[in-house]
Amino acid sequence: MARRVTRTVKVGNLLIGGGSPIVVQSMTNTDPRDVAATVDQIRALERAGCELVRVAVPDLEAAQAIREIKREVTVPIAADIHYDARLAIAALEAGADKLRLNPGNIRDPRRIREVAAAAAKRGIPIRVGVNAGSIDDRFKGPRGEVTPEGMVEAALWEVRLLEQIGFHDIVISLKAHQVPLTVKTNRLIAREVDYPLHLGITEAGTPFAGAVRSAVGLGILLSEGIGDTIRVSLPGDPVREVEVAWEILKSLGLRERGPSFVVCPTCGRTGVDVPGIAEEVRRALSDITQPVSIAIMGCPVNGLGEVERADFGILGGKGYGTVYAHGKVAIPKVPEVELAEALACVIRSELEVRQDGR
């Protein structure tokens, strides 16, 4: 699909926009002043495929902790700033690779320009992040309602301040809980500027509902070529955010990483525990980053076609299954309890041969 043309913004060694691959990011939920816990979470996020990590900066101690955090990790760190522009300056001094500013709660043009000047001096980009829940009253409708036009106006207000001093290393995000509001707002801003856009459905909901809501909202925009970096916002372990983000990108053919599963929905013809086997295979291959397609199918109706198209697969029978590799039988008639392990072994063996061949 054709992607929207944007300028390129550099964050550490990472490129956002300008045709670069869509960047997957997340945010830590540890206390940033607890450097060890925050570093552990960042490393887990990086192992899951996170390419940019945002850290909350509620006070000066948190801003200064970025210096220690940066010594321990390789992924770029974005400092999330609200209310106090002085924290942005402190985060820059501590080595943050990117700033997130919220025009809904940092409203003094003089302070915004001061932060931009400090960021420009260090070559650090700024994300102008507008959220429906914190939009300034100046940009609300006549009855205090949040509108797509108002959210765009709020973003452009800060963008113009930055542009006035020659600052153009800008990423913009416009997020709401409501999918239609987020979609319309991002469509509007995409026509106004050529800056990269960071996408997300904020306060998306419980883990299951939030994943669905995020997939719908981000999927619509990404399928229209809008979006250069994404975050899936879910409560709990942020590693889950990264996993869902990658599944969204893989489902649209925009990025590839690790296994993609084709799994039979099951019916009365199913003779093996398809969901259990699929989950066991997923866990067994959770560290694999090479892209492979895996079909776990329960009967011959669609199963044969799917396992023949996939890189690897299982076609189930009554209490047993056949393991396939590249459309051909690799191991015939394996007992059900051994299927997941047998398939994982076949996949790992081939991937190791590929790696040795390089």
Side-chain angles (χ1 to χ4, degrees):
M1 61 191 71
R3 288 182 54 199
R4 169 177 166 266
V5 178
T6 76
R7 63 180 68 205
T8 301
V9 172
K10 189 174 183 182
V11 184
N13 293 321
L14 189 67
L15 299 180
I16 296 177
S20 300
I22 294 167
V23 171
V24 172
Q25 61 177 279
S26 184
M27 186 172 183
T28 58
N29 57 19
T30 54
D31 183 337
R33 293 158 294 200
D34 185 341
V35 172
T38 302
V39 166
D40 284 347
Q41 193 169 77
I42 291 172
R43 288 174 176 167
L45 287 167
E46 192 171 11
R47 288 193 297 271
C50 187
E51 297 161 309
L52 174 62
V53 176
R54 185 156 43 111
V55 175
V57 181
D59 56 28
L60 183 59
E61 185 182 353
Q64 293 170 339
I66 290 175
R67 180 175 286 107
E68 296 179 62
I69 292 168
K70 286 277 296 175
R71 293 193 189 108
E72 302 294 329
V73 300
T74 58
V75 66
I77 301 297
D80 190 64
I81 310 295
H82 295 272
Y83 299 106
D84 192 343
R86 293 172 298 181
L87 298 178
I89 302 293
L92 289 171
E93 292 172 347
D97 298 293
K98 184 185 178 193
L99 294 177
R100 183 278 176 99
L101 303 181
N102 186 340
N105 53 45
I106 299 180
R107 303 166 187 165
D108 185 340
R110 180 178 58 86
R111 300 313 300 270
I112 293 170
R113 293 190 188 100
E114 180 184 348
V115 172
K121 183 178 178 181
R122 295 170 172 82
I124 302 301
I126 293 174
R127 165 152 71 98
V128 175
V130 177
N131 280 1
S134 57
I135 192 167
D136 189 351
D137 288 343
R138 292 174 295 165
F139 305 111
K140 291 181 180 178
R143 296 179 299 279
E145 72 275 21
V146 177
T147 67
E149 294 78 11
M151 290 182 67
V152 169
E153 187 182 355
L156 293 179
W157 172 79
E158 183 158 304
V159 167
R160 302 311 179 208
L161 289 175
L162 301 179
E163 291 175 335
Q164 285 169 11
I165 65 165
F167 191 93
H168 297 280
D169 287 333
I170 300 169
V171 177
I172 300 172
S173 68
L174 298 152
K175 299 183 182 182
H177 168 74
Q178 298 90 344
V179 169
L181 177 57
T182 302
V183 168
K184 186 173 181 181
T185 300
N186 280 276
R187 284 171 175 164
L188 289 175
I189 196 72
R191 296 199 291 264
E192 294 286 337
V193 296
D194 67 349
Y195 295 113
L197 297 181
H198 167 66
L199 303 183
I201 304 298
T202 194
E203 295 97 34
T206 59
F208 174 76
V212 172
R213 187 178 293 268
S214 296
V216 172
L218 301 187
I220 291 169
L221 290 166
L222 291 169
S223 69
E224 295 175 3
I226 297 171
D228 304 282
T229 169
I230 65 172
R231 179 199 175 187
V232 172
S233 297
L234 300 174
D237 186 350
V239 167
R240 187 63 174 163
E241 297 185 347
V242 178
E243 294 170 346
V244 175
W246 275 104
E247 286 302 319
I248 292 170
L249 294 175
K250 288 193 289 186
S251 70
L252 293 167
L254 291 169
R255 295 285 303 268
E256 289 187 335
R257 186 183 191 277
S260 293
F261 284 87
V262 180
V263 181
C264 171
T266 73
C267 70
R269 287 182 292 268
T270 305
V272 294
D273 178 13
V274 169
I277 292 169
E279 178 58 22
E280 192 176 342
V281 173
R282 186 195 69 79
R283 287 197 303 267
L285 302 176
S286 61
D287 62 318
I288 298 295
T289 60
Q290 295 149 287
V292 292
S293 58
I294 301 172
I296 311 291
M297 303 301 295
C299 85
V301 174
N302 295 316
L304 186 59
E306 295 294 358
V307 296
E308 287 180 342
R309 280 195 295 272
D311 295 323
F312 304 95
I314 289 171
L315 178 58
K318 292 292 183 182
Y320 71 92
T322 299
V323 175
Y324 282 74
H326 308 291
K328 299 185 182 303
V329 174
I331 311 177
K333 209 157 185 178
V334 179
E336 179 177 353
V337 295
E338 300 174 14
L339 273 171
E341 183 180 359
L343 178 61
C345 286
V346 168
I347 295 172
R348 282 194 178 278
S349 296
E350 177 165 323
L351 294 182
E352 287 169 7
V353 169
R354 287 189 203 172
Q355 194 165 14
D356 292 342
R358 288 201 301 270

